[in-house]
Amino acid sequence: MVPAGVELLLTTIRRQATAKFTGSIHVRGTASGRIVLRDGLIIDVATAAAPGPESLLLRSGRLSEAAWSAVFAAAAPTGRLPDALVERRLLGSAGIQVLTRTATMDGLFALAIAQGTAVRAGNPQAGQPPEDEVGVEPADAGFLAPALPVRPGIEAEWAIRETLRRLANADQWRADLGLTPHSRARLAIRPPASCAAPGPTALLAHTNGRRTCRDLAFAVGRGLYPVMAELAQLIGAGWIVVPPPQERPRAAETAPEVFEKSDLRPYGDRARSGRAAPEHEILGKRRYQVTVDSPLPRRSTQGDVPNISAGTGEK
């Protein structure tokens, strides 16, 4: 069963691909974005719900920020960014193709998996009324072409089948593991000692119970779908756990072995969580005992605790 929003999105892509459409499909909702087609082929998907080509390059360390800024400023305004990356030997032509296809398909997955996805229709700039809640903007003089498009493009029917396959996997992860794009995974208190962490461990270093799957994807410079796939693997191996939504870690779950092996004395809430000390122990440890409206006490030369009468200041 495909949610209505997802079915509307994919149906819109199929209809525009059949019409050999060139322009943008605008998506608004939980995850907003833009799908760009050229002659019916998908050449770009831009959304804040998944890392784009720039984030994949910079966050993964494959390209420095200085090198990217220089080539982008020189070539992007004229539409020669892919060629300039090859000419400056920053990326190969095959690397650019893999990068753009990966980012485009991951962006489509991110838009599709967002619940409540809605696409608005017609051409609002031309005053066309909405039709089937599908928003289409044909390429015209003011059309903003993507800086790194897929060349020549992705066939829409294949993209739809692949997106549905990924959605089916994600639905299985949600049902079996409770993993969704908004999950905030955290490290297990006691990771399994019998096996090593599967695959790269970069996700383990960034998993802290506060980052969502999207946040982790941006942090490590990888797509949302592969990050969720690896998280599902780590959950199955017992390395991380996914708490239910809105759940906060309890104090008892904060790795007690860390404190047991430490030479530091308890402090803060941990120190106050033990039994309350008797009043005579507390008074014995105080240097002074001051009552209201009394003058400041003097240091005792005998080392005993001064006894100050209220309001008199006499010992």
Side-chain angles (χ1 to χ4, degrees):
M1 296 296 295
V2 180
V6 176
E7 183 177 0
L8 175 60
L9 174 64
L10 300 182
T11 301
T12 303
I13 295 173
R14 179 181 288 112
R15 182 165 61 232
Q16 299 305 323
T18 302
K20 304 296 181 181
F21 173 76
T22 296
S24 301
I25 299 174
H26 294 277
V27 180
R28 299 175 178 85
T30 306
S32 300
R34 179 179 84 143
I35 304 170
V36 183
L37 289 83
R38 178 186 294 154
D39 296 328
L41 298 177
I42 302 173
I43 63 171
D44 184 64
V45 176
T47 174
E54 179 180 354
S55 296
L56 294 179
L57 286 174
L58 299 184
R59 297 298 179 90
S60 64
R62 285 188 286 175
L63 206 63
S64 68
E65 187 171 353
W68 170 262
S69 299
V71 69
F72 188 88
T78 58
R80 295 192 67 257
L81 183 57
D83 300 328
L85 288 170
V86 176
E87 293 170 359
R88 300 191 184 196
R89 297 183 179 180
L90 298 175
L91 289 175
S93 57
I96 293 178
Q97 185 176 11
V98 172
L99 171 71
T100 54
R101 289 180 67 92
T102 298
T104 298
M105 289 302 302
D106 194 63
L108 185 58
F109 165 76
L111 289 177
I113 198 174
Q115 295 299 322
T117 298
V119 272
R120 288 209 47 206
N123 184 2
Q125 296 180 352
Q128 297 178 2
E131 179 182 346
D132 298 332
E133 296 185 352
V134 174
V136 176
E137 179 186 355
D140 52 19
F143 180 76
L144 183 61
L148 274 177
V150 181
R151 294 179 175 176
I154 302 175
E155 200 270 329
E157 286 299 329
W158 179 87
I160 291 173
R161 290 195 303 269
E162 176 62 16
T163 300
L164 289 174
R165 184 189 70 84
R166 297 184 181 191
L167 289 174
N169 290 340
D171 188 63
Q172 196 68 37
W173 298 334
R174 178 192 57 79
D176 297 345
L177 307 173
L179 180 65
T180 70
H182 306 290
S183 297
R184 301 178 186 271
R186 63 171 183 259
L187 297 177
I189 298 176
R190 292 179 176 84
S194 58
C195 62
T201 58
L203 281 180
L204 292 177
H206 290 84
T207 301
N208 56 10
R210 297 187 299 273
R211 293 187 175 99
T212 63
C213 296
R214 171 197 174 275
D215 298 334
L216 289 172
F218 276 93
V220 300
R222 296 176 58 191
L224 175 64
Y225 179 78
V227 163
M228 291 185 65
E230 185 173 333
L231 287 176
Q233 190 177 11
L234 291 170
I235 294 172
W239 282 89
I240 63 175
V241 294
V242 177
Q246 306 300 327
E247 177 184 321
R248 294 183 178 180
R250 296 185 296 272
E253 295 180 352
T254 54
E257 65 272 9
V258 175
F259 296 98
E260 293 171 2
K261 297 178 181 178
S262 174
D263 295 331
L264 297 177
R265 297 176 59 186
Y267 59 91
D269 292 337
R270 182 173 175 80
R272 290 192 292 270
S273 62
R275 66 177 183 86
E279 183 67 19
H280 68 275
E281 293 183 10
I282 299 177
L283 293 178
K285 294 179 181 178
R286 291 179 181 172
R287 192 160 190 143
Y288 305 113
Q289 184 177 2
V290 183
T291 56
V292 179
D293 296 331
S294 66
L296 294 176
R298 297 180 179 179
R299 184 181 298 275
S300 173
T301 59
Q302 303 297 327
D304 56 342
V305 179
N307 183 16
I308 302 176
S309 301
T312 64
E314 298 178 356
K315 290 187 179 179

